Amino acid sequence: MENLEKLNFWKDRRVFITGATGVLGLNLVNRLISMDADVVAFVRDWVPRARLIGSWLQDSGKVTIVRGELEDVNSITRTLAEYETECIFHLGAQTIVNVGNRSPLTTFRANIGGTWNLLEAARILNTYSNDIQCICVASSDKAYGSSPILPYTEEMPLKGEHPYDVSKSCTDLIAQSYAFTYQLPTCIARMGNIYGPGDLNFNRIVPGTIRSLIEGKRPVIRSDGKPIREYFFVGDAVDAYLVMAESMEKKKFFGQAFNFSSGEKIPVSEMVKKIISHFGSDFEPEILNISRNEIADQYLSIAKAKKILGWSPEYSVDRGLELTIPWYREMMAK
């Protein structure tokens, strides 16, 4: 009965997704297509390699591709209005910490300006039609900044220090502001390191390590290998967003944030060794110890999501890797 209700909830629902070619966006679109939602994918760059994993965009009659940038408020407003959007997943952002360090202004424009452009467009449209019923905004565990107290809970202050972290703190607070001031139906997801099929950002530790091993090379760790992280399988992340969107319409918890994570705390070096073990390889990772401006340890409490949303992760890291590694083998063979 629960699965039927979920299918009925999304059937023919008009959904707008930013960041549709990222690992989370790709998997979310796939899931929504399987439930017969009408999806508009807002895409900036459509690089050739993305076609290896995004052929569904051309094949499915349920997906409309709109080329545009988050920095262009008119493009966002036009798209939301013309496609009579009912639900928004705002996943689009510049998501790489090192890129943020190298290019803070473009990171701020995309992540901060892009968020207020989207929310302002939604606010204006809802004054006329009130069609938009839920807006799910992607924040990050990095929005909390560094803290001597862990795990992070949703009541802790947001105090990012480095450009990417600050951009996610601002994204989060802007979303809260629009919810509390204008009653815009907005809620926020704070997640850690998402991995899984569809991630082509090979400077991330999971896809980068897998690619190195497939190519017969030693994996590289930019840090000293000691930072503790949670690695969150994309299937669980998709479930979390869908449950949050479905629950928000019923419970009206506008402006609230929820932490989502795997619950497994793993040092970077141990995560790399775990991937190596799945390959049956005897490689040792090369530890460069050159990373700068990154938070040492980060992990989240998911007690609130369990209590209010009834959500909990289904995939262990080992199970997630079992599903992820074959995808990269097939993708790289192409």
Side-chain angles (χ1 to χ4, degrees):
M1 176 65 76
E2 184 177 347
N3 286 338
L4 181 60
E5 289 180 2
K6 184 183 287 286
L7 288 170
N8 289 338
F9 182 92
W10 293 106
K11 183 176 173 58
D12 297 325
R13 190 170 289 257
R14 299 181 296 277
V15 182
F16 176 85
I17 300 178
T18 68
T21 57
V23 57
L24 179 54
L26 284 164
N27 284 274
L28 179 60
V29 171
N30 274 332
R31 186 78 65 83
L32 288 167
I33 289 170
S34 73
M35 295 186 289
D36 288 328
D38 286 317
V39 177
V40 173
F42 194 71
V43 175
R44 185 188 69 173
D45 297 328
W46 192 239
V47 295
R49 68 182 182 179
R51 295 192 182 98
L52 290 170
I53 54 176
S55 59
W56 46 265
L57 285 173
Q58 287 84 22
D59 296 340
S60 174
K62 283 285 188 177
V63 180
T64 300
I65 306 170
V66 175
R67 297 292 295 271
E69 296 185 344
L70 293 171
E71 296 86 342
D72 183 357
V73 66
N74 292 328
S75 178
I76 295 171
T77 304
R78 178 194 71 79
T79 307
L80 293 178
E82 289 187 6
Y83 291 97
E84 300 179 303
T85 302
E86 296 175 283
C87 185
I88 296 171
F89 292 97
H90 178 40
L91 314 177
Q94 191 297 102
T95 61
I96 307 301
V97 171
N98 286 338
V99 173
N101 292 335
R102 291 195 302 269
S103 183
L105 290 184
T106 56
T107 298
F108 293 153
R109 289 189 187 107
N111 296 6
I112 302 173
T115 297
W116 78 48
N117 283 342
L118 177 72
L119 294 174
E120 178 65 7
R123 181 188 73 82
I124 291 170
L125 292 173
N126 261 19
T127 61
Y128 293 99
S129 65
N130 210 36
D131 284 341
I132 301 171
Q133 298 300 308
C134 64
I135 306 170
C136 298
V137 175
S139 182
S140 168
D141 57 354
K142 289 179 172 53
Y144 290 111
S146 57
S147 173
I149 302 170
L150 293 171
Y152 300 118
T153 61
E154 288 86 351
E155 294 75 26
M156 293 173 70
L158 305 180
K159 52 188 185 74
E161 297 169 350
H162 309 300
Y164 173 74
D165 313 346
V166 168
S167 77
K168 299 312 284 186
S169 299
C170 293
T171 290
D172 203 310
L173 290 168
I174 290 167
Q176 293 179 48
S177 174
Y178 270 82
F180 296 138
T181 305
Y182 306 110
Q183 290 73 56
L184 202 64
T186 305
C187 59
I188 300 120
R190 298 172 184 161
M191 299 180 177
N193 298 310
I194 297 172
Y195 73 95
D199 189 359
L200 293 178
N201 280 317
F202 289 106
N203 58 353
R204 290 186 177 134
I205 196 70
V206 174
T209 299
I210 292 172
R211 182 174 69 170
S212 293
L213 292 167
I214 291 173
E215 293 177 345
K217 301 175 183 177
R218 287 178 66 190
V220 172
I221 297 174
R222 291 190 303 271
S223 69
D224 62 3
K226 295 178 181 178
I228 296 173
R229 297 285 187 267
E230 292 175 296
Y231 298 90
F232 192 34
F233 184 61
V234 68
D236 277 332
V238 168
D239 286 339
Y241 271 99
L242 294 176
V243 168
M244 187 168 67
E246 295 157 11
S247 300
M248 183 169 56
E249 186 166 275
K250 301 172 188 174
K251 300 181 181 180
K252 309 296 184 186
F253 42 72
F254 298 173
Q256 291 202 37
F258 294 90
N259 292 337
F260 299 102
S261 75
S262 66
E264 295 182 67
K265 301 182 286 291
I266 306 173
V268 172
S269 60
E270 292 303 314
M271 184 62 178
V272 171
K273 290 176 181 177
K274 190 181 284 286
I275 298 170
I276 292 171
S277 176
H278 276 268
F279 273 82
S281 171
D282 58 0
F283 276 123
E284 285 292 325
E286 180 181 1
I287 298 177
L288 301 180
N289 195 18
I290 60 171
S291 64
R292 299 291 182 268
N293 298 331
E294 291 197 35
I295 298 167
D297 298 337
Q298 293 187 288
Y299 45 94
L300 297 157
S301 166
I302 56 174
K304 181 179 177 181
K306 286 182 175 180
K307 179 179 179 181
I308 295 180
L309 303 179
W311 175 91
S312 59
E314 293 185 10
Y315 296 90
S316 67
V317 169
D318 282 314
R319 178 57 180 149
L321 290 174
E322 288 172 1
L323 297 172
T324 300
I325 292 170
W327 183 88
Y328 282 97
R329 288 187 187 275
E330 181 180 354
M331 186 274 293
M332 291 185 68
K334 296 179 180 179

Short mmCIF file of all heavy atoms in Angstrom, two decimals, residues 47-90:
data_model
loop_
_atom_site.label_atom_id
_atom_site.label_comp_id
_atom_site.label_asym_id
_atom_site.label_seq_id
_atom_site.Cartn_x
_atom_site.Cartn_y
_atom_site.Cartn_z
N VAL A 47 28.06 17.98 -21.26
CA VAL A 47 29.35 17.54 -21.79
C VAL A 47 29.19 16.16 -22.42
O VAL A 47 28.31 15.39 -22.04
CB VAL A 47 30.42 17.51 -20.69
CG1 VAL A 47 30.69 18.91 -20.20
CG2 VAL A 47 30.00 16.61 -19.53
N PRO A 48 30.02 15.82 -23.43
CA PRO A 48 29.86 14.55 -24.14
C PRO A 48 29.83 13.33 -23.24
O PRO A 48 29.03 12.43 -23.44
CB PRO A 48 31.07 14.53 -25.08
CG PRO A 48 31.37 15.96 -25.33
CD PRO A 48 31.07 16.66 -24.03
N ARG A 49 30.71 13.29 -22.20
CA ARG A 49 30.75 12.08 -21.38
C ARG A 49 29.45 11.87 -20.60
O ARG A 49 29.13 10.77 -20.21
CB ARG A 49 31.94 12.13 -20.42
CG ARG A 49 31.84 13.19 -19.34
CD ARG A 49 33.09 13.17 -18.47
NE ARG A 49 32.99 14.16 -17.40
CZ ARG A 49 33.91 14.36 -16.48
NH1 ARG A 49 35.01 13.64 -16.50
NH2 ARG A 49 33.76 15.26 -15.55
N ALA A 50 28.70 12.95 -20.36
CA ALA A 50 27.44 12.80 -19.63
C ALA A 50 26.44 11.95 -20.41
O ALA A 50 25.55 11.35 -19.83
CB ALA A 50 26.83 14.17 -19.32
N ARG A 51 26.59 11.90 -21.73
CA ARG A 51 25.66 11.12 -22.54
C ARG A 51 25.79 9.63 -22.25
O ARG A 51 24.86 8.86 -22.48
CB ARG A 51 25.88 11.39 -24.02
CG ARG A 51 25.56 12.83 -24.42
CD ARG A 51 25.52 13.01 -25.95
NE ARG A 51 25.26 14.38 -26.28
CZ ARG A 51 26.18 15.28 -26.61
NH1 ARG A 51 27.45 14.92 -26.62
NH2 ARG A 51 25.86 16.51 -26.91
N LEU A 52 26.95 9.21 -21.75
CA LEU A 52 27.12 7.79 -21.40
C LEU A 52 26.14 7.38 -20.32
O LEU A 52 25.71 6.23 -20.27
CB LEU A 52 28.55 7.53 -20.92
CG LEU A 52 29.65 7.60 -21.96
CD1 LEU A 52 31.02 7.56 -21.28
CD2 LEU A 52 29.52 6.45 -22.95
N ILE A 53 25.81 8.33 -19.45
CA ILE A 53 24.94 7.98 -18.32
C ILE A 53 23.58 8.66 -18.41
O ILE A 53 22.71 8.42 -17.60
CB ILE A 53 25.60 8.36 -16.99
CG1 ILE A 53 26.03 9.83 -16.99
CG2 ILE A 53 26.79 7.48 -16.72
CD1 ILE A 53 26.61 10.29 -15.68
N GLY A 54 23.39 9.51 -19.43
CA GLY A 54 22.16 10.27 -19.49
C GLY A 54 21.31 10.03 -20.71
O GLY A 54 20.52 10.88 -21.08
N SER A 55 21.44 8.86 -21.33
CA SER A 55 20.69 8.62 -22.55
C SER A 55 19.19 8.63 -22.29
O SER A 55 18.39 8.89 -23.18
CB SER A 55 21.07 7.26 -23.16
OG SER A 55 20.82 6.21 -22.26
N TRP A 56 18.80 8.39 -21.02
CA TRP A 56 17.38 8.43 -20.68
C TRP A 56 16.77 9.80 -20.96
O TRP A 56 15.58 9.93 -21.17
CB TRP A 56 17.17 8.08 -19.21
CG TRP A 56 18.10 8.75 -18.28
CD1 TRP A 56 19.27 8.26 -17.79
CD2 TRP A 56 17.96 10.07 -17.74
NE1 TRP A 56 19.88 9.19 -16.98
CE2 TRP A 56 19.10 10.29 -16.93
CE3 TRP A 56 17.01 11.06 -17.86
CZ2 TRP A 56 19.29 11.48 -16.24
CZ3 TRP A 56 17.20 12.25 -17.18
CH2 TRP A 56 18.33 12.44 -16.38
N LEU A 57 17.60 10.87 -20.95
CA LEU A 57 17.06 12.20 -21.20
C LEU A 57 16.50 12.32 -22.61
O LEU A 57 15.51 13.00 -22.85
CB LEU A 57 18.14 13.25 -20.99
CG LEU A 57 18.49 13.57 -19.53
CD1 LEU A 57 19.69 14.49 -19.48
CD2 LEU A 57 17.32 14.18 -18.80
N GLN A 58 17.15 11.62 -23.56
CA GLN A 58 16.64 11.64 -24.92
C GLN A 58 15.53 10.60 -25.12
O GLN A 58 14.63 10.79 -25.91
CB GLN A 58 17.78 11.34 -25.91
CG GLN A 58 18.76 12.49 -26.09
CD GLN A 58 19.81 12.48 -25.00
OE1 GLN A 58 20.07 11.46 -24.38
NE2 GLN A 58 20.41 13.61 -24.75
N ASP A 59 15.62 9.48 -24.38
CA ASP A 59 14.73 8.35 -24.64
C ASP A 59 13.36 8.50 -23.99
O ASP A 59 12.39 7.94 -24.46
CB ASP A 59 15.38 7.05 -24.14
CG ASP A 59 16.65 6.72 -24.90
OD1 ASP A 59 16.80 7.27 -26.01
OD2 ASP A 59 17.47 5.96 -24.39
N SER A 60 13.31 9.20 -22.86
CA SER A 60 12.06 9.23 -22.11
C SER A 60 11.17 10.40 -22.54
O SER A 60 11.62 11.53 -22.64
CB SER A 60 12.34 9.35 -20.61
OG SER A 60 11.14 9.53 -19.91
N GLY A 61 9.91 10.10 -22.77
CA GLY A 61 8.95 11.14 -23.09
C GLY A 61 8.52 11.93 -21.88
O GLY A 61 7.76 12.89 -21.99
N LYS A 62 9.01 11.54 -20.70
CA LYS A 62 8.63 12.19 -19.47
C LYS A 62 9.63 13.25 -19.01
O LYS A 62 9.48 13.83 -17.95
CB LYS A 62 8.46 11.13 -18.35
CG LYS A 62 7.17 10.34 -18.42
CD LYS A 62 5.98 11.16 -17.95
CE LYS A 62 4.72 10.32 -17.84
NZ LYS A 62 3.59 11.10 -17.31
N VAL A 63 10.69 13.48 -19.79
CA VAL A 63 11.72 14.44 -19.38
C VAL A 63 11.85 15.53 -20.42
O VAL A 63 11.99 15.26 -21.61
CB VAL A 63 13.08 13.75 -19.17
CG1 VAL A 63 14.12 14.78 -18.74
CG2 VAL A 63 12.98 12.65 -18.14
N THR A 64 11.81 16.78 -19.96
CA THR A 64 12.08 17.94 -20.81
C THR A 64 13.40 18.55 -20.35
O THR A 64 13.58 18.80 -19.15
CB THR A 64 10.96 18.98 -20.68
OG1 THR A 64 9.73 18.39 -21.10
CG2 THR A 64 11.27 20.20 -21.55
N ILE A 65 14.31 18.78 -21.29
CA ILE A 65 15.59 19.40 -20.97
C ILE A 65 15.50 20.89 -21.27
O ILE A 65 15.13 21.28 -22.38
CB ILE A 65 16.74 18.80 -21.79
CG1 ILE A 65 16.78 17.28 -21.63
CG2 ILE A 65 18.08 19.41 -21.38
CD1 ILE A 65 17.73 16.60 -22.61
N VAL A 66 15.84 21.71 -20.29
CA VAL A 66 15.91 23.15 -20.47
C VAL A 66 17.35 23.58 -20.19
O VAL A 66 17.88 23.32 -19.10
CB VAL A 66 14.95 23.90 -19.54
CG1 VAL A 66 15.14 25.40 -19.66
CG2 VAL A 66 13.50 23.52 -19.85
N ARG A 67 17.97 24.22 -21.17
CA ARG A 67 19.33 24.72 -20.98
C ARG A 67 19.25 26.09 -20.32
O ARG A 67 18.54 26.98 -20.79
CB ARG A 67 20.06 24.81 -22.32
CG ARG A 67 20.27 23.49 -23.02
CD ARG A 67 21.23 22.60 -22.28
NE ARG A 67 22.58 23.15 -22.25
CZ ARG A 67 23.50 22.94 -23.19
NH1 ARG A 67 23.21 22.19 -24.23
NH2 ARG A 67 24.69 23.47 -23.07
N GLY A 68 20.00 26.25 -19.24
CA GLY A 68 20.00 27.53 -18.56
C GLY A 68 20.97 27.53 -17.41
O GLY A 68 21.57 26.51 -17.07
N GLU A 69 21.16 28.71 -16.81
CA GLU A 69 22.07 28.87 -15.69
C GLU A 69 21.33 29.38 -14.47
O GLU A 69 20.39 30.17 -14.58
CB GLU A 69 23.20 29.85 -16.06
CG GLU A 69 24.08 29.35 -17.20
CD GLU A 69 25.25 30.29 -17.46
OE1 GLU A 69 25.20 31.44 -16.98
OE2 GLU A 69 26.19 29.86 -18.13
N LEU A 70 21.78 28.94 -13.30
CA LEU A 70 21.17 29.39 -12.05
C LEU A 70 21.35 30.90 -11.86
O LEU A 70 20.56 31.54 -11.16
CB LEU A 70 21.79 28.64 -10.86
CG LEU A 70 21.48 27.15 -10.79
CD1 LEU A 70 22.33 26.49 -9.72
CD2 LEU A 70 20.01 26.91 -10.53
N GLU A 71 22.38 31.44 -12.47
CA GLU A 71 22.62 32.88 -12.35
C GLU A 71 21.61 33.72 -13.14
O GLU A 71 21.57 34.94 -12.99
CB GLU A 71 24.04 33.21 -12.82
CG GLU A 71 25.15 32.59 -11.98
CD GLU A 71 25.53 31.18 -12.40
OE1 GLU A 71 24.74 30.53 -13.11
OE2 GLU A 71 26.62 30.73 -12.02
N ASP A 72 20.80 33.08 -13.98
CA ASP A 72 19.85 33.79 -14.85
C ASP A 72 18.43 33.63 -14.29
O ASP A 72 17.74 32.66 -14.55
CB ASP A 72 19.93 33.21 -16.26
CG ASP A 72 19.03 33.92 -17.25
OD1 ASP A 72 18.30 34.85 -16.84
OD2 ASP A 72 19.05 33.55 -18.44
N VAL A 73 17.99 34.61 -13.52
CA VAL A 73 16.70 34.52 -12.86
C VAL A 73 15.55 34.50 -13.86
O VAL A 73 14.51 33.85 -13.64
CB VAL A 73 16.51 35.66 -11.84
CG1 VAL A 73 16.44 37.01 -12.52
CG2 VAL A 73 15.30 35.42 -10.96
N ASN A 74 15.70 35.19 -14.99
CA ASN A 74 14.63 35.20 -15.99
C ASN A 74 14.42 33.82 -16.61
O ASN A 74 13.27 33.41 -16.86
CB ASN A 74 14.95 36.22 -17.09
CG ASN A 74 14.91 37.64 -16.58
OD1 ASN A 74 14.14 37.97 -15.69
ND2 ASN A 74 15.76 38.50 -17.13
N SER A 75 15.50 33.11 -16.84
CA SER A 75 15.39 31.76 -17.39
C SER A 75 14.70 30.83 -16.41
O SER A 75 13.85 30.01 -16.79
CB SER A 75 16.79 31.22 -17.74
OG SER A 75 16.71 29.90 -18.23
N ILE A 76 15.04 30.96 -15.14
CA ILE A 76 14.39 30.13 -14.11
C ILE A 76 12.91 30.45 -14.02
O ILE A 76 12.06 29.56 -14.01
CB ILE A 76 15.07 30.34 -12.75
CG1 ILE A 76 16.52 29.85 -12.77
CG2 ILE A 76 14.29 29.61 -11.65
CD1 ILE A 76 17.32 30.22 -11.54
N THR A 77 12.58 31.73 -13.97
CA THR A 77 11.18 32.14 -13.84
C THR A 77 10.36 31.66 -15.02
O THR A 77 9.24 31.14 -14.86
CB THR A 77 11.09 33.68 -13.73
OG1 THR A 77 11.91 34.12 -12.63
CG2 THR A 77 9.65 34.12 -13.50
N ARG A 78 10.91 31.83 -16.22
CA ARG A 78 10.19 31.38 -17.42
C ARG A 78 9.91 29.89 -17.36
O ARG A 78 8.79 29.44 -17.66
CB ARG A 78 11.01 31.69 -18.67
CG ARG A 78 10.36 31.20 -19.97
CD ARG A 78 11.33 31.20 -21.13
NE ARG A 78 12.36 30.18 -21.03
CZ ARG A 78 12.17 28.90 -21.33
NH1 ARG A 78 10.97 28.46 -21.73
NH2 ARG A 78 13.16 28.03 -21.24
N THR A 79 10.91 29.11 -16.97
CA THR A 79 10.76 27.66 -16.96
C THR A 79 9.74 27.22 -15.92
O THR A 79 8.87 26.39 -16.20
CB THR A 79 12.12 26.98 -16.69
OG1 THR A 79 13.08 27.48 -17.62
CG2 THR A 79 12.01 25.48 -16.83
N LEU A 80 9.82 27.76 -14.71
CA LEU A 80 8.86 27.40 -13.67
C LEU A 80 7.44 27.74 -14.09
O LEU A 80 6.49 26.97 -13.85
CB LEU A 80 9.20 28.12 -12.36
CG LEU A 80 10.50 27.73 -11.66
CD1 LEU A 80 10.69 28.58 -10.40
CD2 LEU A 80 10.49 26.25 -11.29
N ALA A 81 7.28 28.90 -14.74
CA ALA A 81 5.94 29.34 -15.13
C ALA A 81 5.39 28.52 -16.30
O ALA A 81 4.25 28.04 -16.24
CB ALA A 81 5.97 30.83 -15.50
N GLU A 82 6.20 28.34 -17.34
CA GLU A 82 5.70 27.68 -18.54
C GLU A 82 5.38 26.20 -18.30
O GLU A 82 4.46 25.66 -18.92
CB GLU A 82 6.70 27.83 -19.68
CG GLU A 82 6.79 29.24 -20.22
CD GLU A 82 7.66 29.34 -21.47
OE1 GLU A 82 8.11 28.29 -21.98
OE2 GLU A 82 7.89 30.48 -21.93
N TYR A 83 6.13 25.56 -17.42
CA TYR A 83 5.90 24.14 -17.18
C TYR A 83 5.05 23.89 -15.93
O TYR A 83 4.92 22.75 -15.48
CB TYR A 83 7.24 23.40 -17.09
CG TYR A 83 7.95 23.36 -18.42
CD1 TYR A 83 8.94 24.30 -18.74
CD2 TYR A 83 7.60 22.44 -19.40
CE1 TYR A 83 9.57 24.29 -19.97
CE2 TYR A 83 8.22 22.43 -20.63
CZ TYR A 83 9.21 23.35 -20.91
OH TYR A 83 9.83 23.35 -22.14
N GLU A 84 4.46 24.97 -15.38
CA GLU A 84 3.48 24.88 -14.28
C GLU A 84 3.99 23.96 -13.17
O GLU A 84 3.33 23.02 -12.74
CB GLU A 84 2.13 24.40 -14.82
CG GLU A 84 1.55 25.32 -15.87
CD GLU A 84 0.21 24.81 -16.40
OE1 GLU A 84 0.18 23.67 -16.89
OE2 GLU A 84 -0.77 25.55 -16.28
N THR A 85 5.17 24.28 -12.68
CA THR A 85 5.88 23.45 -11.72
C THR A 85 5.10 23.28 -10.41
O THR A 85 4.55 24.25 -9.88
CB THR A 85 7.26 24.07 -11.41
OG1 THR A 85 7.99 24.18 -12.64
CG2 THR A 85 8.03 23.23 -10.41
N GLU A 86 5.10 22.05 -9.90
CA GLU A 86 4.46 21.76 -8.61
C GLU A 86 5.48 21.44 -7.52
O GLU A 86 5.22 21.69 -6.34
CB GLU A 86 3.51 20.58 -8.76
CG GLU A 86 2.34 20.83 -9.69
CD GLU A 86 1.51 19.58 -9.90
OE1 GLU A 86 1.93 18.70 -10.68
OE2 GLU A 86 0.43 19.48 -9.26
N CYS A 87 6.60 20.85 -7.90
CA CYS A 87 7.62 20.47 -6.92
C CYS A 87 8.99 20.78 -7.48
O CYS A 87 9.25 20.54 -8.66
CB CYS A 87 7.49 18.98 -6.57
SG CYS A 87 8.60 18.44 -5.25
N ILE A 88 9.88 21.31 -6.63
CA ILE A 88 11.24 21.69 -7.05
C ILE A 88 12.25 20.94 -6.19
O ILE A 88 12.14 20.89 -4.97
CB ILE A 88 11.47 23.20 -6.88
CG1 ILE A 88 10.54 24.00 -7.81
CG2 ILE A 88 12.93 23.57 -7.15
CD1 ILE A 88 10.55 25.50 -7.54
N PHE A 89 13.25 20.37 -6.87
CA PHE A 89 14.43 19.85 -6.18
C PHE A 89 15.62 20.71 -6.63
O PHE A 89 16.05 20.60 -7.78
CB PHE A 89 14.68 18.38 -6.52
CG PHE A 89 13.64 17.45 -5.98
CD1 PHE A 89 12.58 17.02 -6.78
CD2 PHE A 89 13.70 16.99 -4.66
CE1 PHE A 89 11.61 16.16 -6.29
CE2 PHE A 89 12.74 16.13 -4.16
CZ PHE A 89 11.69 15.71 -4.97
N HIS A 90 16.11 21.52 -5.72
CA HIS A 90 17.22 22.42 -6.06
C HIS A 90 18.53 21.76 -5.65
O HIS A 90 18.99 21.91 -4.52
CB HIS A 90 17.05 23.77 -5.38
CG HIS A 90 18.16 24.73 -5.63
ND1 HIS A 90 18.76 24.87 -6.88
CD2 HIS A 90 18.81 25.61 -4.81
CE1 HIS A 90 19.70 25.79 -6.81
NE2 HIS A 90 19.77 26.24 -5.57
#
